Amino acid sequence: MPHSEAFLPIIMTGMNEPWEAVGHLDTRERFPKHNVVAGSDADVDGVYYQASGLVRLSCITRTGKEYAMMYMGEGMLFNENDVFHKGLNHFLTSIEPLETIFFPRAMFTEEFFGAHPDLAMNLISSLSQKSRVLYALLGSTRSLDSFAQVCRALYR
């Protein structure tokens, strides 16, 4: 795993595997290793499903350093937050060669989710789990005093 300022690398996999069943509806895209796939400045208007590879969700701290918050592997959706809410300070980088299925924002309609209610529930569930992980990470970094943060950094 590449060097990261995250205390514990969180790796999520397989949560969105039901989306592979509708992969025939959209296009496959490949990205090389260390490629910024999506993020705050990217003009990506859709969601990616990871068929293979590893993606790192990072942000830039006030000091200009990269802070890795989460890693996502096969069977995960990513960039869904940008589809529903723009303006977050983050980016998604391929850590190894990445094969994806791209679902454009226009596909996320009441009609689509009416035909695929299981995918709507899966999307809500995975967003909830990611939010919980990021909330715990934020709470962990904010609740420790300086001494505890230094000890934790030395421990890793």
Side-chain angles (χ1 to χ4, degrees), residues 10-75:
I10 297 164
I11 303 172
M12 301 180 118
T13 60
M15 217 180 293
N16 303 111
E17 288 176 342
W19 284 81
E20 197 159 352
V22 292
H24 64 281
L25 298 176
D26 287 291
T27 58
R28 290 197 175 256
E29 295 184 33
R30 293 175 192 257
F31 298 93
K33 184 177 182 178
H34 301 304
N35 189 69
V36 174
V37 178
S40 300
D41 296 332
D43 189 23
V44 177
D45 201 21
V47 174
Y48 291 97
Y49 172 81
Q50 286 177 250
S52 66
L54 187 67
V55 170
R56 177 180 60 228
L57 171 63
S58 305
C59 69
I60 301 296
T61 66
R62 289 183 300 217
T63 62
K65 293 184 180 179
E66 179 182 1
Y67 183 84
M69 297 181 286
M70 179 186 310
Y71 294 86
M72 292 171 281
E74 284 184 33

Side-chain angles (χ1 to χ4, degrees), residues 10 12-13 15-16 70 76 121-136:
I10 297 164
M12 301 180 118
T13 60
M15 217 180 293
N16 303 111
M70 179 186 310
M76 294 295 294
M121 291 305 297
N122 180 265
L123 177 62
I124 292 167
S125 175
S126 68
L127 283 169
S128 173
Q129 290 178 49
K130 288 178 185 178
S131 295
R132 182 177 296 159
V133 165
L134 294 173
Y135 181 77

